[in-house]
Amino acid sequence: MARPEAGKTAVLDAPGNASSTKKATTMANTSVIRLEQVGKVFEQKKQRFQALKQIDLTVESSEFVVIAGPSGSGKTTLLNLIGLLDQPSSGKLFFNGRDLSQCSSTELAQLRRDQIGFVFQAYNLMPVLTALENTEMVMEFRGMAADKRRAAARKTLTALGLGELMDRYPDQLSGGQQQRVAVARAVAGEPMLVIADEPTANLDSRTAESLMDLMSQLNREHGITFIFSSHDPRVISRAKRVISLCDGSIVSPVSQAVEFSHAV
Amino acid sequence: MKLERKLAMRNLLRNRQRSLLTSIMIVATVSLMILFQGLSDGGHRAMVDIGIKMGLGHVLVYQQGYNDDPSLEHLLVDAAATGQQLQQSVPELTHMVRRLHLNGLIQAGANGVPITLAGVDPGLEVQVSRIADRKSMTAGQTLAELPRERSGNGLPGIVIGEQLARNLEVGLGDRVTVSVKPKGSSDLSREAFLVTGIFKTGMQELDAFWAELDIADAQRLARLGQEVSVLALYLDDVEKVGPVAARLSSQLPAGKYEVLRWDQVAPELHSAVMLDAAGMYLLMVIVFVVVAAAILNTILISVMKRTREFGVMLALGASPALVVRVVFWEALFLALFCIALGGALGYAGHYHFATEGLNFREVFGTTLEAGGVLLPDRFFSFIYPGKLAFSLLFVLLLTLLVTIYPAIRASRLAPVEATRHG
Ligand SMILES: Nc1ncnc2c1ncn2[C@@H]1O[C@H](COP(=O)(O)OP(=O)(O)OP(=O)(O)O)[C@@H](O)[C@H]1O
Ligand SMILES: [Mg+2]
């Protein structure tokens, strides 16, 4: 992959492009996501398990946040709540200023479709669709015109260095390539927020590195908010803000003011 | 192609083996269903056809009261005029014959057997009746083949069943005496006949208790004029029996005539056909259940194996309705393919038996009898297009019906399914 150099080649649109500027400015004073005293309880076979306890968390627009913590600490549970895939047992969740407790599952699905991109640990591409078709899929859910969504998908895939592989099916791609397609699928529709649960867990360190480059570049140039989880210190070190989870609670919300640097 | 159709089609192709196995099952059942339907209906038509040709008819016109009391008191008096009227008002008519049925006693030497005597128009009867057909004759000639002038000793000819000839211990050219009770008299009317032909139909009641003679001889014997028992109508298609009978019933003056269909006159033949048809319907139900189970199985497995995929779609914001549509398209494509292929194969089989016929004796090694009717050695597959279309449509509807459950199950998956890994 010819890695685009920061500041030289834009990943999606040129930096400072009308749409991204607009997004960046209008979102600046609204939190993308806000959790107030959010708890999550799993009940299984009469066993109650408190996976998350009184979480207070606010993520602003254009943030690049990692949720860190040991296995079983509740990272996936938290990301599922933030990604509107699951609902909290207690507390309140606001998405883009909107209280979600009253939302129907249909409304939640529409919010996910229109505003949130997902990158899953297991890639989760549709096996019967090509890279291009996978990338188009969410935009097709939105009812976007075929030529428009195709153009957007092509542009994104090309920018992510997958120009040659667009017509391949997932089983004809390597793990790293599949995960890049998954990122393309998550960002092609220009969502407000991208959620990624351990996106690098199945990748070797070099591929993981370049995926991180890609995501932080999209964040910088596009103002897309990224929230991802990881327990890989090298990945965590690349985030602007680290939220540490332990036994379902946030232990030390460390805000890393360290500006992202491309050289590693 | 729209996304849901693309996903559905490609999923079927991706799981080629599973799709193929299911297809083979459905294609086989659908084509066998068509084949059986054609043979069954063809067989029924042959049965009905034979029954109708055994001295019956498609539609029968009697004098009012004849069927309650088939005596000489209830004969059609103006048969000629009625016949002419019918010729004009029934365009579906191919043949019409008049018959006079008499109960009588046939004797030869010391042997006597009570029988039914059928007085017929030999020239017409030979065209419609199996009894009067050349092929049924085991000895002698049909009435139609008899020379106009009486033979040397001047006796009229009579054609009797093979079993009857044996029971009477008579052969061709032997003399028999026939006695009937004429109208309005208690003395028997008796006349001698010459056995000029012996027939065999395979039906016991005809071969042992039936004799045919010229209607003029029968009328003279019973001391009648031009009266007949029945006008038997033969139509160009057995399917038109119902409508024609209904039409005639309302057209002919009420209280004077009685119009009956073949199935009303020969209920035992009709019920034999119906019983056989019921067996066919049972078979169809089994076919439908097999198809439904096969499709349900395939679609359900296919859906359960793709829990993650559907979860991902739902997580990424696909509406449950879209997921339902994907599953339905999958079932629909599978069903349409199988119905088309099964339909084509089944129809090809039907076409073979519709043109070549099926030889009972070859297939079963024996002749078949149903409802007292000996089935012909060879009969032809027949398909009612409406019935075929209905069965195929039913298979399709059934497919969609059994897909409801897997489709709803897929659409109700929780979007968090997408995040499970392993
Ligand atoms: N559906 C569920 N039912 C019951 N318990 C659950 C469920 N999902 C998660 N848990 C429990 O909640 C806790 C947090 O799980 P979670 O998957 O969020 O951890 P995690 O931090 O993502 O771990 P990992 O790093 O291994 O992915 C775990 O103890 C887990 O067993
Ligand atoms: Mg996890």
Side-chain angles (χ1 to χ4, degrees):
Chain A
M1 173 190 173
R3 187 186 295 173
E5 276 179 48
K8 226 174 171 186
T9 324
V11 170
L12 290 178
D13 292 310
N17 158 297
S19 71
S20 56
T21 329
K22 188 172 149 238
K23 192 173 275 178
T25 50
T26 51
M27 300 300 157
N29 37 19
T30 327
S31 54
V32 172
I33 202 93
R34 187 152 54 90
L35 282 74
E36 284 178 5
Q37 293 289 299
V38 164
K40 180 69 183 176
V41 177
F42 290 113
E43 267 172 280
Q44 244 176 7
K45 295 172 197 159
K46 293 176 190 165
Q47 287 220 321
R48 276 170 58 88
F49 182 79
Q50 181 100 32
L52 290 177
K53 298 157 196 161
Q54 274 92 48
I55 302 282
D56 283 307
L57 173 68
T58 305
V59 176
E60 304 293 339
S61 178
S62 303
E63 277 201 275
F64 195 71
V65 183
V66 66
I67 294 170
S71 185
S73 57
K75 302 185 294 294
T76 299
T77 307
L78 181 58
L79 281 180
N80 285 349
L81 293 180
I82 296 174
L84 318 186
L85 296 172
D86 208 353
Q87 274 147 318
S89 315
S90 58
K92 279 195 165 172
L93 180 64
F94 297 88
F95 182 83
N96 207 16
R98 182 174 171 194
D99 183 358
L100 297 181
S101 50
Q102 307 300 325
C103 276
S104 68
S105 63
T106 313
E107 287 171 298
L108 291 177
Q110 280 168 2
L111 279 175
R112 289 197 301 271
R113 182 190 72 191
D114 298 335
Q115 315 276 14
I116 307 177
F118 291 90
V119 179
F120 303 102
Q121 181 181 335
Y123 324 139
N124 285 349
L125 297 174
M126 300 295 284
V128 296
L129 298 181
T130 64
L132 183 66
E133 289 165 340
N134 264 291
T135 311
E136 272 184 64
M137 190 171 76
V138 181
M139 292 183 274
E140 197 162 353
F141 291 166
R142 290 182 195 167
M144 213 169 178
D147 50 346
K148 271 179 108 176
R149 60 168 197 258
R150 186 139 312 162
R154 277 183 199 284
K155 197 161 90 185
T156 310
L157 285 165
T158 309
L160 266 54
L162 295 160
E164 309 286 299
L165 308 174
M166 277 191 225
D167 296 322
R168 291 220 193 154
Y169 287 90
D171 58 8
Q172 300 168 324
L173 295 169
S174 74
Q177 288 166 339
Q178 285 185 56
Q179 196 59 306
R180 268 188 283 152
V181 174
V183 172
R185 178 176 68 184
V187 301
E190 305 194 9
M192 181 184 289
L193 169 68
V194 171
I195 305 276
D197 189 12
E198 311 208 29
T200 60
N202 290 341
L203 304 178
D204 63 63
S205 56
R206 264 194 57 200
T207 319
E209 202 67 55
S210 67
L211 191 77
M212 290 310 298
D213 289 346
L214 188 68
M215 296 205 300
S216 59
Q217 195 181 356
L218 286 163
N219 167 253
R220 255 180 303 126
E221 291 170 357
H222 247 262
I224 298 173
T225 311
F226 276 84
I227 305 176
F228 61 97
S229 70
S230 183
H231 45 221
D232 179 348
R234 279 176 302 177
V235 172
I236 295 168
S237 71
R238 308 269 308 251
K240 294 179 196 169
R241 179 180 169 197
V242 179
I243 293 159
S244 289
L245 269 186
C246 194
D247 288 336
S249 301
I250 296 177
V251 283
S252 56
V254 188
S255 186
Q256 292 194 338
V258 187
E259 194 50 44
F260 171 76
S261 154
H262 212 39
V264 187
Chain B
M1 206 179 348
K2 279 201 64 178
L3 181 67
E4 56 254 42
R5 267 170 280 172
K6 189 153 67 185
L7 286 171
M9 180 60 90
R10 290 194 192 163
N11 260 309
L12 286 172
L13 294 175
R14 183 178 154 85
N15 299 297
R16 208 161 285 157
Q17 199 174 330
R18 189 170 61 221
S19 306
L20 214 64
L21 278 174
T22 314
S23 300
I24 288 171
M25 198 141 116
I26 302 172
V27 165
T29 37
V30 167
S31 51
L32 283 178
M33 171 186 87
I34 294 174
L35 206 60
F36 286 160
Q37 214 177 69
L39 289 177
S40 160
D41 285 338
H44 296 159
R45 277 172 72 95
M47 274 165 75
V48 170
D49 194 47
I50 287 290
I52 281 162
K53 281 181 181 157
M54 292 296 180
L56 210 58
H58 287 132
V59 178
L60 301 131
V61 178
Y62 303 94
Q63 183 75 18
Q64 184 71 43
Y66 181 85
N67 270 282
D68 290 334
D69 172 24
S71 72
L72 300 182
E73 304 304 319
H74 295 111
L75 296 179
L76 284 167
V77 219
D78 48 356
T82 311
Q84 228 157 33
Q85 193 187 337
L86 290 174
Q87 292 276 16
Q88 280 159 12
S89 59
V90 186
E92 298 90 343
L93 197 65
T94 58
H95 295 91
M96 180 168 59
V97 299
R98 41 184 204 135
R99 295 189 187 115
L100 177 63
H101 293 297
L102 302 170
N103 291 321
L105 183 73
I106 189 165
Q107 286 168 293
N111 303 316
V113 180
I115 58 161
T116 301
L117 288 158
V120 298
D121 281 317
L124 285 175
E125 194 69 17
V126 72
Q127 297 172 40
V128 295
S129 167
R130 185 55 95 85
I131 309 166
D133 191 24
R134 175 81 275 231
K135 279 181 253 166
S136 302
M137 305 305 290
T138 58
Q141 293 167 304
T142 65
L143 287 175
E145 288 166 337
L146 280 184
R148 274 284 156 87
E149 292 100 66
R150 301 272 156 82
S151 50
N153 50 15
L155 291 181
I158 191 167
V159 175
I160 63 173
E162 191 188 53
Q163 186 64 42
L164 182 59
R166 247 201 311 268
N167 293 346
L168 290 173
E169 297 173 48
V170 296
L172 212 57
D174 285 346
R175 202 185 133 123
V176 292
T177 308
V178 177
S179 319
V180 302
K181 222 177 110 191
K183 187 176 175 181
S185 162
S186 51
D187 327 327
L188 288 181
S189 161
R190 193 181 305 245
E191 223 177 286
F193 285 83
L194 207 61
V195 177
T196 54
I198 294 172
F199 66 83
K200 184 184 180 192
T201 61
M203 281 177 74
Q204 163 79 2
E205 55 190 277
L206 292 180
D207 292 348
F209 303 103
W210 191 272
E212 295 207 333
L213 63 169
D214 194 302
I215 192 163
D217 295 334
Q219 283 164 340
R220 191 185 60 246
L221 183 64
R223 294 184 198 142
L224 295 167
Q226 288 303 304
E227 295 99 319
V228 304
S229 309
V230 62
L231 284 171
L233 278 56
Y234 291 82
L235 309 180
D236 52 9
D237 188 351
V238 64
E239 305 306 323
K240 293 178 184 160
V241 167
V244 168
R247 208 175 68 218
L248 283 181
S249 290
S250 61
Q251 261 176 19
L252 291 173
K256 188 160 180 234
Y257 297 101
E258 212 167 353
V259 179
L260 294 179
R261 301 184 309 266
W262 67 268
D263 53 299
Q264 294 169 309
V265 181
E268 65 291 339
L269 173 62
H270 184 240
S271 53
V273 169
M274 281 326 199
L275 203 68
D276 204 53
M280 185 62 209
Y281 282 115
L282 191 70
L283 187 77
M284 301 268 277
V285 168
I286 294 169
V287 164
F288 290 144
V289 169
V290 167
V291 169
I295 294 202
L296 178 62
N297 179 58
T298 303
I299 300 291
L300 202 57
I301 289 179
S302 163
V303 163
M304 292 200 304
K305 283 199 169 172
R306 284 186 290 151
T307 299
R308 171 86 67 86
E309 263 175 70
F310 288 123
V312 168
M313 286 177 69
L314 292 165
L316 298 185
S319 65
L322 179 78
V323 171
V324 166
R325 285 204 298 275
V326 170
V327 179
F328 266 101
W329 276 111
E330 207 168 309
L332 195 64
F333 281 138
L334 190 67
L336 284 178
F337 170 77
C338 294
I339 288 171
L341 193 62
L345 283 177
Y347 197 84
H350 152 75
Y351 186 79
H352 172 78
F353 290 118
T355 48
E356 299 292 313
L358 180 69
N359 195 323
F360 258 127
R361 210 168 287 180
E362 273 173 20
V363 177
F364 300 104
T366 170
T367 49
L368 290 187
E369 206 194 56
V373 173
L374 190 74
L375 286 177
D377 289 346
R378 188 175 290 276
F379 71 98
F380 297 91
S381 180
F382 183 86
I383 279 182
Y384 296 98
K387 199 161 153 186
L388 176 66
F390 177 80
S391 332
L392 294 181
L393 208 69
F394 195 77
V395 172
L396 193 68
L397 283 179
L398 205 65
T399 305
L400 298 183
L401 201 71
V402 299
T403 308
I404 292 176
Y405 171 67
I408 287 184
R409 206 176 141 139
S411 74
R412 294 236 176 112
L413 286 169
V416 281
E417 291 291 343
T419 64
R420 297 208 205 293
H421 39 76

